[in-house]
Amino acid sequence: MSLVPLTLVVLAAFIHATWNLLAKRAAAAGAAFVFASNLFSSIVYLPWMIWILLYDDLTWNAPVVICIVLSTVIHLAYSLCLQRGYQVADLSVVYPVARGTGPMLSSIGAFILLRETPTSQGIVGLFAVIAGIGLITTQGDLSAFKKPRGLDGVRWGTATGSLIASYTVVDGYGVKVLGIHPVVLDWLSNLLRFFLLVPIVMRDWPGAKKRMQGHWWLALGVGALAPLSYILVLSAIEMGAPLSLVAPAREMWMMVGAMFGMLILGERVTAWRVARC
């Protein structure tokens, strides 16, 4: 991977960690917060989207439409699958399995579907990232895997990781092979997810507004930053960076998040935590 795409991925990692900090503060708002964030994303990036549609030479055909719809469905399924995993098993099981299998399966998909050539350095780096994710998220404590619901966590985590890999490969194919602009792909996907969430949120609109009290500015921040972090990743792929390297490299946001926890939230700094990062 050359310097410019790598810089975009590193920048995306810092932005991703930042919007996750904002989203964590509004976790209690649930689907209403996701709904509001998607709404703000659609509004904030609309001018950029219009400019691209006016001046970008994108050919609209069946494969492009199918790619955008498939990306939307997989992204939504990922969110629901992850949430279900958290309901039936410990986060310390579901999350590391999901985030670890995601880049691994994405890389395999890139080797098979996009015909990327694996390198020894790339494979070593991939497994180093997976090991780091596992150590950061489990804190080195594997006892949760031995609990009665531990196997459920592995199943749901693997399913979630498969969906992460699926949308990564689909989106990578869209920008790299079909020539879809990253902003167009992400904006349309956000807009479609917004409309899919409308009936869920409207079933209890008063309750949704109550849960969003004090969280609207956080939703605006997430709505502005979350698409940008993913657009940067897709732009790196569009520039020719191998998906098999971008997929694991973008997971460095977990390292950045751990650093933010130590530097911003005042979490304890230990040699063990630094080694995991």
Side-chain angles (χ1 to χ4, degrees):
M1 195 189 315
S2 61
L3 181 60
V4 174
L6 178 60
T7 301
L8 293 181
V9 175
V10 172
L11 181 59
F14 277 87
I15 296 173
H16 192 104
T18 301
W19 76 253
N20 269 272
L21 280 177
L22 299 178
K24 185 176 181 179
R25 295 182 180 181
F33 186 80
V34 178
F35 172 83
S37 300
N38 279 325
L39 173 61
F40 284 128
S41 293
S42 301
I43 295 172
V44 169
Y45 288 88
L46 180 59
W48 196 356
M49 173 70 176
I50 293 174
W51 187 86
I52 291 170
L53 291 179
L54 289 175
Y55 297 102
D56 190 67
D57 190 22
L58 173 63
T59 302
W60 292 93
N61 51 37
V64 169
V65 174
I66 291 172
C67 179
I68 292 172
V69 172
L70 189 59
S71 174
T72 301
V73 172
I74 295 174
H75 273 277
L76 188 58
Y78 149 75
S79 300
L80 297 174
C81 187
L82 183 64
Q83 194 66 29
R84 178 56 182 164
Y86 289 160
Q87 291 174 351
V88 302
D90 291 345
L91 180 145
S92 57
V93 174
V94 177
Y95 200 73
V97 172
R99 300 313 307 190
T101 55
M104 181 177 66
L105 294 175
S106 297
S107 297
I108 293 173
F111 298 148
I112 297 174
L113 300 177
L114 301 183
R115 306 295 176 87
E116 294 183 3
T117 303
T119 64
S120 57
Q121 286 181 325
I123 292 175
V124 170
L126 170 64
F127 282 102
V129 168
I130 293 172
I133 290 171
L135 291 172
I136 288 173
T137 51
T138 62
Q139 307 295 316
D141 181 8
L142 302 181
S143 60
F145 285 82
K146 302 174 184 178
K147 293 181 180 179
R149 304 307 295 269
L151 190 57
D152 289 341
V154 171
R155 292 194 186 106
W156 283 102
T158 302
T160 303
S162 300
L163 291 168
I164 293 172
S166 297
Y167 75 63
T168 301
V169 173
V170 167
D171 294 348
Y173 182 85
V175 300
K176 202 167 191 175
V177 179
L178 299 179
I180 306 174
H181 195 286
V183 174
V184 173
L185 178 59
D186 187 76
W187 189 86
L188 288 175
S189 180
N190 266 317
L191 185 66
L192 289 174
R193 289 200 299 274
F194 167 76
F195 283 113
L196 289 172
L197 285 169
V198 166
I200 298 174
V201 174
M202 288 303 170
R203 281 187 302 196
D204 183 22
W205 179 239
K209 287 196 296 184
K210 185 177 181 180
R211 289 190 294 273
M212 280 300 296
Q213 287 180 359
H215 297 321
W216 289 102
W217 284 107
L218 292 174
L220 175 59
V222 172
L225 293 176
L228 181 58
S229 65
Y230 196 51
I231 287 169
L232 291 175
V233 169
L234 294 179
S235 296
I237 297 172
E238 185 186 37
M239 290 178 180
L243 178 62
S244 56
L245 297 183
V246 172
R250 70 185 289 249
E251 296 295 338
M252 74 174 67
W253 75 265
M254 298 191 67
M255 177 191 71
V256 176
M259 290 170 55
F260 280 1
M262 292 183 282
L263 299 176
I264 298 175
L265 302 180
E267 296 178 354
R268 192 161 61 96
V269 180
T270 63
W272 175 241
R273 294 197 73 182
V274 173
R276 294 200 300 271
C277 289

